[in-house]
Structures are given as structure tokens and as C-alpha cells.
Amino acid sequence: EPEVTQTPSHQVTQMGQEVILRCVPISNHLYFYWYRQILGQKVEFLVSFYNNEISEKSEIFDDQFSVERPDGSNFTLKIRSTKLEDSAMYFCASRGTGGSPLHFGNGTRLTVT
Amino acid sequence: AQSVTQPDIHITVSEGASLELRCNYSYGATPYLFWYVQSPGQGLQLLLKYFSGDTLVQGIKGFEAEFKRSQSSFNLRKPSVHWSDAAEYFCAVGASNAGNMLTFGGGTRLMVKP
């Protein structure tokens, strides 16, 4: 069965550094998402992306965050200058058309020190 | 604003016993409801979903859930739990016209006793 794949599985970075989290959505999917889960807290929506532009974003998704689909297969989340509070598990998700549900990747655990 | 509440943070059941995980939602329109499971080190796997129609929906791994509009609930059930069901379970609500942007509950961690 097709899967959403995320790399790396764990990323450690220093405060103030830029990080790029990578995702390969399922190949025929058109809608792409990033969610995050801070340890012990709820899974939270960050951003959705369709037709090469952001369709919705949450309050969390401020100017430090950006997303990009640089080619036909990858979907990336960039955090420009990481803060300690950005430490979380970041999940990528994708879905097809209509009412099809989200398919999530296994997540990237980001640790900011 | 939409919200999801999972009242039970932890539940422990014996293997072979029945299971019910509670989920209550707050949503202004007809909700799209989901249950996801997260095993340690894994991503979120969809167990089942409700969009419309029959209010009792069947999912994978022997799970089912019942949508009760009058109670704003979407409880997850399984008649006989297996040790491999130990995981964290998330209920989520979304809107059909919001790109399936999901609001998650806080999760219920299920432990299974032998």
C-alpha cells in the first residue's frame, strides 16, 4: 500500500538554526498537510497546501515557517530560525480528491537544543 | 470553533475484554469524524471514518464506531482486545470544505493486560 514517507526520522538542531523537514506524499495525492505534536500535547494542524499554494494555515504557522513543493514528489517544511518550543513531532499528511481521508507519515522528531 | 474531547487519558483492559473509547466533539455543521491509532514510533494510521449514512461504521483491525448526533459522540469499540492493540488512539473532526483540516482530541493511551 502506498505510504507517506518522512525524512529524517529524528533531527537535532541548535536554537536559531534553520531546518528543513522532508516528506514524500503518496504519488497521486493532491492535498498536502503538516501537523505537529508537542510532547504530551494534542496533534495540531499547521498548514495545508494545494495547487502549489497554501490553502489554510493555523496561528502556529507564523513567518518562521514556510512550505514548498520543489518538485513533483517532495513537500518540505522549513523553519527559518528554530526556537526551543519548536521541539515536537512533525507529521506530514496527504490525501486524494473528494472526501478521501488523510494518510500520515511516521513523523520527524525535531529536537531543538 | 470545532473541538474534540477524549475524556479518558489512559485506559487499561485485559486481553479479550471489550473496549470502548469515548470521543465527544463540538462542531457547527455536519462533521467528518475519524479515529486514528498511533503505535510507538509510528505515524497515525486511520482506523475508520464517518462521513454520512449508516451511523455505525466498521474499520480495520476489528474496530467499529458509532456516530450519535444527539450526544455529539463518536465512540470507538472493539468486542475483544488483543495485546497488539496497545497504542494511543486519537479521535478527530474535520469539515468537508476545509481540505480535511483536522482537529484532534488529546488521545487515549490504551494498555492491555495479559
Side-chain angles (χ1 to χ4, degrees):
Chain A
E1 185 176 332
E3 292 182 340
V4 175
T5 56
Q6 290 185 244
T7 55
S9 56
H10 192 186
Q11 172 105 36
V12 181
T13 189
Q14 288 189 326
M15 194 167 53
Q17 295 296 304
E18 174 185 286
V19 295
I20 297 176
L21 309 183
R22 303 183 189 278
C23 170
V24 179
I26 294 173
S27 63
N28 62 347
H29 283 185
L30 300 177
Y31 297 82
F32 314 110
Y33 305 80
W34 284 100
Y35 285 77
R36 80 172 185 190
Q37 184 182 25
I38 295 172
L39 188 64
Q41 298 187 23
K42 293 185 178 187
V43 177
E44 302 171 292
F45 168 77
L46 292 179
V47 66
S48 60
F49 191 87
Y50 170 72
N51 199 26
N52 285 320
E53 60 183 25
I54 291 173
S55 39
E56 288 193 81
K57 60 183 181 179
S58 71
E59 292 176 353
I60 303 167
F61 195 88
D62 62 21
D63 292 344
Q64 293 298 312
F65 291 88
S66 62
V67 290
E68 192 178 28
R69 189 155 162 80
D71 52 43
S73 60
N74 290 283
F75 179 53
T76 61
L77 174 70
K78 182 193 291 186
I79 308 175
R80 196 189 339 266
S81 177
T82 50
K83 303 188 282 288
L84 294 176
E85 53 265 38
D86 294 326
S87 295
M89 179 75 88
Y90 287 81
F91 292 104
C92 174
S94 69
R95 73 173 182 94
T97 56
S100 56
L102 297 185
H103 293 259
F104 285 84
N106 284 352
T108 293
R109 180 167 296 286
L110 176 65
T111 302
V112 182
T113 61
Chain B
Q2 57 203 50
S3 67
V4 178
T5 302
Q6 293 179 245
D8 305 304
I9 299 173
H10 296 279
I11 282 186
T12 300
V13 299
S14 298
E15 191 167 17
S18 64
L19 171 71
E20 182 168 28
L21 302 182
R22 295 183 291 165
C23 172
N24 293 98
Y25 68 89
S26 172
Y27 193 69
T30 300
Y32 283 28
L33 293 158
F34 307 82
W35 274 100
Y36 285 86
V37 60
Q38 184 181 24
S39 299
Q42 302 294 310
L44 295 157
Q45 181 185 20
L46 180 68
L47 284 176
L48 48 78
K49 59 187 185 291
Y50 171 78
F51 288 169
S52 64
D54 192 346
T55 56
L56 184 64
V57 292
Q58 303 296 320
I60 62 171
K61 305 185 180 186
F63 285 93
E64 66 177 28
E66 186 171 12
F67 171 59
K68 292 186 178 180
R69 185 187 299 275
S70 62
Q71 299 176 18
S72 296
S73 69
F74 188 58
N75 294 348
L76 182 72
R77 300 194 293 250
K78 186 168 184 178
S80 177
V81 168
H82 187 262
W83 64 267
S84 60
D85 293 324
E88 187 143 23
Y89 292 79
F90 293 92
C91 182
V93 65
S96 62
N97 62 351
N100 278 82
M101 184 189 82
L102 298 178
T103 298
F104 284 85
T108 297
R109 181 164 296 280
L110 172 67
M111 292 182 284
V112 180
K113 293 189 300 186

